[in-house]
Amino acid sequence: MSERFLDKAYGARDADETRKLYDDWAASYEAELGEHGYATPGRCAAALAQHAADKSRPVLDFGCGTGLSGLALRLAGFETIDGLDVSADMLAQAKGKSVYRDLRQIEPGQDLGHRPGDYAAIAAIGVIGAGAAPISVFDTIMRGLAKSGLFVFSFNDHALQEPQYEARVMEWTDCGAARLLFVKHGDHIPGIGLKAKVYVLEKN
């Protein structure tokens, strides 16, 4: 049981299959990740906290899942956190943590539904990669930030094996549209030997 969903999580599938996987996983998600360790939420929250000038300004937790990422952000000192996810069952779990100002379900590929400047930072923690959100989400998030807005995200080792992921980061930084403030490779899910890079970008 313990690796049943983790075994499926990194396989290719369409948006409806992805939503069903995460709906089905919602009840056991935290126990399963807790059994194997899940380091990325804490790593991302700490990295963002290093570069955020004002932790009272709102943060959007994109792909918030059951709220582990929001909890990590709150523990790092962020005061106002909104969450978005495609899975209603995951959102129901997140609501129980009482760390979010607002939680909203979105459809895959949907616009984020806010104006640039509404959020000082957007987080996509363990969200973009094989079997989860496509790389196009990266551009959607960056476009949703105002100048000087921060984007904290992670790419696990499965994503890092595919050049398109890091190439998208460089597309934004090489042309001067964004500045890389932080990047570090480290633990993602230690119990299965999976690592991830954590990044913080600032939009120029």
Side-chain angles (χ1 to χ4, degrees):
M1 169 74 177
S2 65
E3 290 192 38
R4 184 165 63 87
F5 285 108
L6 276 173
D7 285 343
K8 294 178 180 178
Y10 303 112
R13 58 185 172 270
D14 64 24
D16 287 339
E17 290 171 331
T18 296
R19 189 205 307 269
K20 185 177 187 310
L21 173 77
Y22 283 94
D23 279 343
D24 291 346
W25 197 0
S28 63
Y29 180 83
E30 293 186 20
E32 187 169 338
L33 288 179
E35 179 183 342
H36 295 288
Y38 185 29
T40 299
R43 292 181 58 216
C44 285
L48 183 61
Q50 288 177 28
H51 298 283
D54 182 359
K55 296 187 185 68
S56 69
R57 295 189 60 199
V59 176
L60 178 63
D61 184 10
F62 178 88
C64 62
T66 63
L68 291 176
S69 45
L71 185 59
L73 289 165
R74 176 59 60 85
L75 291 172
F78 294 95
E79 299 174 15
T80 306
I81 307 162
D82 292 343
L84 297 178
D85 203 90
V86 299
S87 168
D89 290 350
M90 288 274 186
L91 288 168
Q93 298 280 337
K95 186 175 182 180
K97 292 188 171 52
S98 301
V99 299
Y100 293 98
R101 176 181 67 175
D102 181 63
L103 287 166
R104 188 160 51 90
Q105 185 177 10
I106 59 169
E107 295 297 322
Q110 181 180 332
D111 184 80
L112 300 185
H114 71 273
R115 296 167 300 176
D118 285 352
Y119 295 102
I122 300 178
I125 298 172
V127 169
I128 301 172
I135 191 60
S136 59
V137 165
F138 188 98
D139 295 328
T140 301
I141 290 173
M142 286 298 294
R143 287 194 296 266
L145 284 170
K147 184 180 167 103
S148 301
L150 302 179
F151 179 25
V152 61
F153 60 98
S154 61
F155 290 153
N156 66 38
D157 284 342
H158 294 293
L160 293 171
Q161 289 173 1
E162 299 184 33
Q164 61 173 323
Y165 292 97
E166 290 197 289
R168 189 61 55 91
V169 179
M170 289 186 286
E171 284 177 16
W172 280 85
T173 57
D174 287 355
C175 71
R179 183 163 64 103
L180 182 63
L181 301 180
F182 177 92
V183 60
K184 187 173 182 179
H185 192 244
D187 285 337
H188 179 51
I189 305 175
I192 61 172
L194 193 61
K195 293 183 179 291
K197 277 188 181 179
V198 167
Y199 306 74
V200 179
L201 289 182
E202 180 181 46
K203 187 172 179 180
N204 291 332

